[in-house]
Amino acid sequence: MTQLNVLLATLGSAGDVNPFVAIGRALLDRGHRVTLITSAHFQDIVAKAGLGFFGLGTRDDYAQVVDDPDLWDPSRGFQVFARRVVIPAIRPVYDIVASNLRPNTVVVAQGQAFGAHLAHERLAVPFVTINLQPVAFRSAHDSALIPPWIPLVARPSLFRLIDFLVLDRELANPVNALRGELGLAPVKHVFGSWAHSPQKTIGLFPEWFAPPQVDWPPNTKQAGFVLTSEDTPPQHSGLARFLDSGPPPIVFTPGTEMKHAQGFFAASIRALTHLGHRGILLSRHTQHIPSPLPEGVVSFPYISFASVLPRAAAIVHHGGIGTIAQSFAAGIPQVIRPMAHDQPDTAARVQRLGVGLTVSPRHYTPDRVHSALRDLLASQPIREACRLYSTKVNSAEALTVVCDEIEAVASRYAAYR
């Protein structure tokens, strides 16, 4: 295979960036030149992986976004993400791609990295979209976010109404402003078909988690979960001692960047105490962790899921797709407290597969969490389902599929030879 110049682009948190880093490493191992375009916050992680890097915004920009409590609000979260992350990145992503075209270039981008879409249309560069979450693939037939009582025939109209009232209202004008400068016709339904490459779009999740639908883009390929992990830092060497000192613990995490989790941890500790179970609390924002902790409960700012989940009894988390994938791989049951964005959809899929339960933030009380964990840990069918799905997670195979598809698009639509 001729060496490619691969420009990767992704927006969001570590859960969005780490899979792209893993893909970049796999492409690098195949002999390609790889550059990742993402928030300046992730420069060190990208550099450690040996990839080229272009930063979007500043580290302080990233910190201010994740500090905003509205980012996690189900009614205001999309607006915050659109205005503070997606829209500011449109022109910089386009400019970076346009300035770094060379022979055998291919652009690979998350769906909301709209500048990559514009570069494809204006500059005829081969283009692949990668979406980590099933909710990115709009379907009238399979969406956990659409109430089941809404008839199938009415669902396309519902999507158009959501576009008109919410999605296009935030995004269509800034997208079309740059399109006009580039001599491109305006678009609408930005998160509909336009959000996917017409050449290839990849779902970074398996078919058993989200079966393909007839109204998905016809060039969609599902690769499977790509697992990502980092080495456990030396200062957390106490983890092994804790794991060895008693029965498997329950792991609690509100998400890597969640800075407003005092209530989550308070309710979790009380549920653990009632259950009489050991626990591990994970948060980089240690001011949210009560002190002192009860006996048998410990906290860490960060530990690799790969080092702890295979030895855990269960996990309670926010519903991020990366955490869900790691939990499936470890074969443990999940309690999910979804907040916003894709989390309610992914949580519903976990529950539908019989490996977990969902507790809404409003109902996340010690009694409700205790009850959910008690039922999960006592259920033989849930244990069997967890074991079954753990055998189906193959990250190496998923990376092979992704790299093969990227190389195929670059070869088929070569523009910069």
Side-chain angles (χ1 to χ4, degrees), residues 114-167:
F114 295 141
H117 298 248
L118 298 175
H120 161 68
E121 291 185 58
R122 180 66 180 83
L123 305 169
V125 60
F127 180 41
V128 177
T129 44
I130 292 181
N131 288 296
L132 280 65
Q133 303 93 348
V135 75
F137 294 85
R138 178 176 289 183
S139 175
H141 300 272
D142 181 31
S143 174
L145 304 182
I146 297 180
W149 51 264
I150 295 180
L152 180 63
V153 68
R155 294 179 182 183
S157 297
L158 176 61
F159 283 134
R160 288 192 292 271
L161 182 63
I162 293 171
D163 284 341
F164 177 75
L165 294 177
V166 182
L167 303 182

Side-chain angles (χ1 to χ4, degrees), residues 228-233 235-240 242-243 249 251-253 256 280-284 298-309:
T228 61
S229 63
E230 301 170 32
D231 295 334
T232 303
Q235 63 266 33
H236 301 154
S237 58
L239 172 65
F242 178 77
L243 292 172
V251 177
F252 293 80
T253 174
T256 305
I280 296 176
L281 315 179
L282 298 181
S283 177
R284 288 188 171 123
V298 296
S299 68
F300 296 97
Y302 169 82
I303 52 178
S304 166
F305 279 147
S307 66
V308 67
L309 293 192

Side-chain angles (χ1 to χ4, degrees), residues 7-20 23 36-39 42 56 81 85-86 89 93 107-118 127-137 190-191 194-197 200-202 204 321 342:
L7 302 177
L8 303 174
T10 184
L11 309 175
S13 67
D16 300 286
V17 174
N18 286 335
F20 274 75
I23 292 167
L36 180 56
I37 307 164
T38 192
S39 166
F42 297 101
L56 300 173
F81 187 69
V85 179
V86 176
V93 170
V107 176
V108 181
Q110 203 175 15
Q112 61 259 34
F114 295 141
H117 298 248
L118 298 175
F127 180 41
V128 177
T129 44
I130 292 181
N131 288 296
L132 280 65
Q133 303 93 348
V135 75
F137 294 85
V190 170
F191 267 121
W194 186 77
H196 304 283
S197 167
K200 178 62 67 175
T201 186
I202 298 173
L204 223 57
I321 193 69
D342 61 298

Side-chain angles (χ1 to χ4, degrees), residues 360-403:
S360 72
R362 187 163 59 93
H363 296 122
Y364 195 86
T365 64
D367 287 345
R368 185 67 63 89
V369 178
H370 166 263
S371 176
L373 286 169
R374 182 195 58 206
D375 293 347
L376 285 177
L377 295 173
S379 171
Q380 180 66 23
I382 288 175
R383 285 197 298 272
E384 291 175 356
C386 289
R387 283 195 293 267
L388 170 65
Y389 289 114
S390 72
T391 66
K392 295 177 178 289
V393 178
N394 190 330
S395 181
E397 182 179 283
L399 280 172
T400 296
V401 171
V402 173
C403 293

Side-chain angles (χ1 to χ4, degrees), residues 12-282:
S13 67
D16 300 286
V17 174
N18 286 335
F20 274 75
V21 172
I23 292 167
R25 277 296 324 171
L27 290 166
L28 202 66
D29 290 344
R30 292 190 178 204
H32 302 304
R33 176 190 176 96
V34 185
T35 303
L36 180 56
I37 307 164
T38 192
S39 166
H41 174 81
F42 297 101
Q43 182 173 0
D44 295 342
I45 293 173
V46 177
K48 183 179 178 182
L51 310 180
F53 179 73
F54 285 105
L56 300 173
T58 67
R59 294 174 187 264
D60 188 56
D61 291 336
Y62 182 87
Q64 289 183 26
V65 173
V66 299
D67 280 346
D68 189 340
D70 285 347
L71 179 63
W72 315 104
D73 184 271
S75 61
R76 295 185 290 273
F78 169 76
Q79 186 180 74
V80 172
F81 187 69
R83 293 182 180 181
R84 302 188 66 174
V85 179
V86 176
I87 293 171
I90 296 173
R91 186 180 294 271
V93 170
Y94 175 86
D95 289 342
I96 291 168
V97 172
S99 300
N100 288 275
L101 297 180
R102 59 184 65 205
N104 304 306
T105 294
V106 58
V107 176
V108 181
Q110 203 175 15
Q112 61 259 34
F114 295 141
H117 298 248
L118 298 175
H120 161 68
E121 291 185 58
R122 180 66 180 83
L123 305 169
V125 60
F127 180 41
V128 177
T129 44
I130 292 181
N131 288 296
L132 280 65
Q133 303 93 348
V135 75
F137 294 85
R138 178 176 289 183
S139 175
H141 300 272
D142 181 31
S143 174
L145 304 182
I146 297 180
W149 51 264
I150 295 180
L152 180 63
V153 68
R155 294 179 182 183
S157 297
L158 176 61
F159 283 134
R160 288 192 292 271
L161 182 63
I162 293 171
D163 284 341
F164 177 75
L165 294 177
V166 182
L167 303 182
D168 279 358
R169 176 168 291 186
E170 290 292 335
L171 296 171
N173 284 342
V175 167
N176 286 324
L178 185 51
R179 290 182 68 86
E181 292 181 34
L182 299 173
L184 300 171
V187 293
K188 58 182 179 179
H189 308 303
V190 170
F191 267 121
S193 60
W194 186 77
H196 304 283
S197 167
Q199 295 177 340
K200 178 62 67 175
T201 186
I202 298 173
L204 223 57
F205 47 85
E207 292 188 3
W208 52 262
F209 183 70
Q213 302 299 312
V214 295
D215 51 354
W216 281 8
N219 60 353
T220 297
K221 176 71 174 182
Q222 289 176 256
F225 291 131
V226 169
L227 304 181
T228 61
S229 63
E230 301 170 32
D231 295 334
T232 303
Q235 63 266 33
H236 301 154
S237 58
L239 172 65
R241 289 194 299 273
F242 178 77
L243 292 172
D244 291 340
S245 67
I250 299 170
V251 177
F252 293 80
T253 174
T256 305
E257 302 298 353
M258 180 51 159
K259 295 188 175 184
H260 311 280
Q262 294 94 332
F264 170 81
F265 284 119
S268 300
I269 291 169
R270 290 178 61 189
L272 269 176
T273 302
H274 190 190
L275 198 63
H277 215 287
R278 303 199 316 151
I280 296 176
L281 315 179
L282 298 181

